[in-house]
Amino acid sequence: MSVYTPVAVNASGCASPGCECCGREPAYPSDLTDAEWSVLKGEARGVMAQLVAAAGRPMVHDLRAVLDGIGYVTRYGIEWRALPVDFPPHEAVYAFFLRWSRRGLPERLAARLRVLAGRRELPTVGCVDSQTVRAAEMVGAAACGYDAGKKMKGQKRHVVVDTLGLLLCVVVTAASMQDRDGAHPVLALLREKFSTITLVWVDGGYAGRLQV
């Protein structure tokens, strides 16, 4: 389905003028399924209760629609302002994304998914790898570099995931940084976040001294 195709929704229930998020029907591959929402809604509503307690104002928009909006942006890599009109306004979606992230919602959801998969809540094994990407126009020259191996100028993501592929931590550097050098800050962050990690797998690009 084209992202520009209007989606039939029931506009009742949202206090934001012109917003049609309430009663929104799933329309894109990135939208949560009912099964996924049943796993996520408990934690998401718990975080929303914290936000209401802190700000003293309940959320106007439909919570599931907001999460679908975040999923749309992260899956397709678009700008926040390019969200299709059947989602809540992009300003609201981005604001809640920041607030959820600051309260550790992504980490809590990953921990819950590990438990549902029959694993321990805290990981004991990780896997490190990197990816070079072109930097956005607003990224300064000091934060960019040239990756001779990928023949690309931009930035490099040094990522650690668990055995299920769930993200544990990420560090962004200039693309010119060697993997073995980028491993130092990412492993230091991993140790800070998860003292339970006892083993980390890496590929040949990380050959050298990796102790932190």
Side-chain angles (χ1 to χ4, degrees), residues 1-3 7 24-34 36 64 67-69 71-76 84 86-87:
M1 175 181 290
S2 168
V3 299
V7 178
R24 175 185 177 274
E25 294 293 332
Y28 312 109
S30 58
D31 286 337
L32 293 166
T33 64
D34 290 341
E36 290 169 337
R64 182 170 178 176
L67 290 173
D68 281 338
Y72 189 96
V73 170
T74 56
R75 178 162 179 174
Y76 301 115
D86 54 308
F87 292 114

Side-chain angles (χ1 to χ4, degrees), residues 2-211:
S2 168
V3 299
Y4 302 107
T5 302
V7 178
V9 295
N10 176 9
S12 63
C14 184
S16 179
C19 181
E20 301 178 339
C21 66
C22 293
R24 175 185 177 274
E25 294 293 332
Y28 312 109
S30 58
D31 286 337
L32 293 166
T33 64
D34 290 341
E36 290 169 337
W37 174 237
S38 68
V39 172
L40 188 145
K41 64 181 178 181
E43 292 287 355
R45 287 175 175 167
V47 171
M48 284 310 309
Q50 295 175 15
L51 293 176
V52 171
R57 185 177 64 181
M59 185 171 71
V60 170
H61 302 288
D62 180 76
L63 180 56
R64 182 170 178 176
V66 171
L67 290 173
D68 281 338
I70 294 172
Y72 189 96
V73 170
T74 56
R75 178 162 179 174
Y76 301 115
I78 64 166
E79 298 178 355
W80 291 97
R81 69 185 67 184
L83 270 174
V85 296
D86 54 308
F87 292 114
H90 72 272
E91 301 93 340
V93 177
Y94 179 64
F96 282 113
F97 168 76
L98 288 180
R99 293 167 186 166
W100 286 333
S101 297
R102 289 166 182 163
R103 284 166 171 77
L105 177 61
E107 291 85 354
R108 285 156 55 178
L109 291 175
R112 186 170 183 183
L113 289 174
R114 274 191 289 272
V115 172
L116 290 174
R119 307 294 179 86
R120 297 176 181 176
E121 181 176 346
L122 294 176
T124 58
V125 176
C127 180
V128 183
D129 206 348
S130 67
Q131 178 188 35
T132 299
V133 296
R134 298 188 187 278
E137 294 180 359
M138 67 283 296
V139 177
C144 292
Y146 183 73
D147 185 335
K150 298 295 179 14
K151 295 180 172 57
M152 183 185 300
K153 182 180 180 181
Q155 294 181 297
K156 184 176 287 188
R157 304 167 181 158
H158 305 268
V159 178
V160 187
V161 299
D162 65 11
T163 54
L164 296 174
L166 297 173
L167 182 66
L168 298 178
C169 64
V170 58
V171 170
V172 178
T173 68
S176 54
M177 179 172 285
Q178 296 292 324
D179 285 352
R180 62 177 175 271
D181 297 325
H184 287 271
V186 77
L187 290 177
L189 178 60
L190 179 66
R191 184 175 62 178
E192 177 184 333
K193 292 169 64 73
F194 300 100
S195 61
T196 53
I197 294 288
T198 59
L199 176 66
V200 177
W201 286 314
V202 299
D203 61 23
Y206 293 91
R209 187 176 176 84
L210 294 181
Q211 294 181 0

